[in-house]
Amino acid sequence: MSLKSAIQPECLPKHVAIIMDGNGRWATQRSQDRNLGHEQGAVAVRETVEAAAEIGIEFLTLYAFSTENWNRPKDEVNALMNLLVRSIHNETPTLMKNHIRLRAIGNLDSLDAKTQEILDEAIEKTAQNTRMTLVLALSYSGRWEITEAVKHIARDVQDNQISISEISEKTVSKAMDTAFMPSPDLLIRTSGEYRISNFLLWQLAYTELYFTNVLWPDFNKDEFYKALIDYQKRERRFGKTSQQLELI
């Protein structure tokens, strides 16, 4: 029996988020330049997006570039940005063919003009697609997002749009970059690291976490299916007891 056939379609996570880690180590293990790892990582992105769309995932969020990644060597940052531009440009026809909508979250103003232009074009072109939403987290960090949300709410209080007593979790969620989508049901992190690295800090409150030793360039459809199968074995209680869930 194939891994895909073991997945229960009625129990799929609505939103899957992925921390794509291990490109550099993959290249180092092969005595290659780190940029080759990023190139191969782009292939893994394509396979994972295809797998998610085929199986019926509604939202797929990929941690593509963090605010901390700007501190990497300039040559590597430039190579990553060039790869990003090339990938978005080359993959837009595939997104259209598969009816996938592209969105982006993060401090997008920090991206260079060419990257912003290509990204905006792809987002606009795919805006009406409804099969799946692919979200790229670019120049993103959870702390940055929460800080910006706090600033937004503070301005609303200052402008008498809302009172302090009216601020709730819903208020904060609406002020986030991610307000257009549900919180992740499942977070996947590759490469054997056990941390969330400043990713979706607000949204991961009740997310199921899945860690794999597979380096991102080696991640493929079967590895994605393994994560889904593991997820479907879990009981999501959201603070309730098992007995309470049985009564719902």
Side-chain angles (χ1 to χ4, degrees):
M1 184 174 69
S2 68
L3 288 169
K4 186 177 181 180
S5 65
I7 296 170
Q8 305 170 51
E10 69 278 7
C11 298
L12 285 172
K14 186 173 185 178
H15 181 183
V16 178
I18 304 180
I19 299 175
M20 307 178 294
D21 192 24
N23 291 348
R25 272 170 284 172
W26 184 91
T28 299
Q29 288 176 4
R30 291 159 177 76
S31 300
Q32 299 290 334
D33 186 86
R34 288 174 60 87
N35 292 333
L36 180 63
H38 297 313
E39 293 277 355
Q40 189 62 33
V43 176
V45 168
R46 186 182 306 116
E47 276 222 18
T48 303
V49 171
E50 288 179 356
E54 289 170 0
I55 206 72
I57 303 300
E58 294 184 37
F59 292 88
L60 177 67
T61 299
L62 304 179
Y63 202 5
F65 193 87
S66 73
T67 54
E68 290 82 4
N69 287 155
W70 290 113
N71 297 319
R72 291 187 175 187
K74 186 176 180 180
D75 288 347
E76 182 174 352
V77 171
N78 290 339
L80 279 167
M81 287 297 107
N82 289 333
L83 175 60
L84 176 63
V85 169
R86 189 167 72 250
S87 296
I88 292 173
H89 177 75
N90 291 341
E91 295 300 328
T92 297
T94 302
L95 296 178
M96 293 299 298
K97 178 182 177 181
N98 291 290
H99 307 289
I100 297 171
R101 177 176 63 162
L102 181 67
R103 296 287 297 266
I105 58 174
N107 185 11
L108 304 182
D109 289 339
S110 66
L111 302 175
D112 64 82
K114 182 63 176 178
T115 303
Q116 289 187 47
E117 179 185 354
I118 295 295
L119 181 62
D120 288 344
E121 287 178 358
I123 289 173
E124 182 179 357
K125 189 169 185 178
T126 63
Q128 303 306 313
N129 294 339
T130 58
R131 184 183 187 186
M132 186 180 78
T133 299
L134 171 63
V135 184
L136 299 181
L138 298 168
S139 191
Y140 173 91
S141 80
R143 289 184 175 182
W144 169 87
E145 183 185 25
I146 292 171
T147 301
E148 292 302 305
V150 169
K151 291 178 182 177
H152 176 83
I153 295 169
R155 284 192 291 268
D156 284 348
V157 171
Q158 189 176 49
D159 295 339
N160 296 315
Q161 299 295 315
I162 187 175
S163 67
I164 292 177
S165 63
E166 292 175 312
I167 298 174
S168 64
E169 287 189 15
K170 188 175 182 180
T171 308
V172 178
S173 293
K174 283 186 173 182
M176 294 285 188
D177 263 26
T178 53
F180 64 92
M181 62 181 175
S183 293
D185 302 294
L186 172 65
L187 170 72
I188 300 169
R189 178 166 188 150
T190 60
S191 86
E193 300 292 348
Y194 293 84
R195 55 179 178 270
I196 57 176
S197 296
N198 207 358
F199 185 44
L200 300 175
L201 298 180
W202 176 266
Q203 298 84 351
L204 293 178
Y206 287 103
T207 299
E208 296 296 325
L209 308 181
Y210 176 86
F211 300 98
T212 174
N213 290 325
V214 174
L215 300 177
W216 178 249
D218 291 326
F219 197 84
N220 55 30
K221 290 185 178 183
D222 277 349
E223 295 299 331
F224 185 70
Y225 299 149
K226 288 177 185 177
L228 296 183
I229 292 168
D230 183 85
Y231 167 84
Q232 292 185 337
K233 295 176 182 177
R234 305 187 189 186
E235 179 183 71
R236 306 195 71 206
R237 298 197 298 270
F238 300 97
K240 296 182 174 65
T241 66
S242 297
Q243 290 74 18
Q244 285 176 305
L245 291 177
E246 291 173 359
L247 296 174
I248 296 176

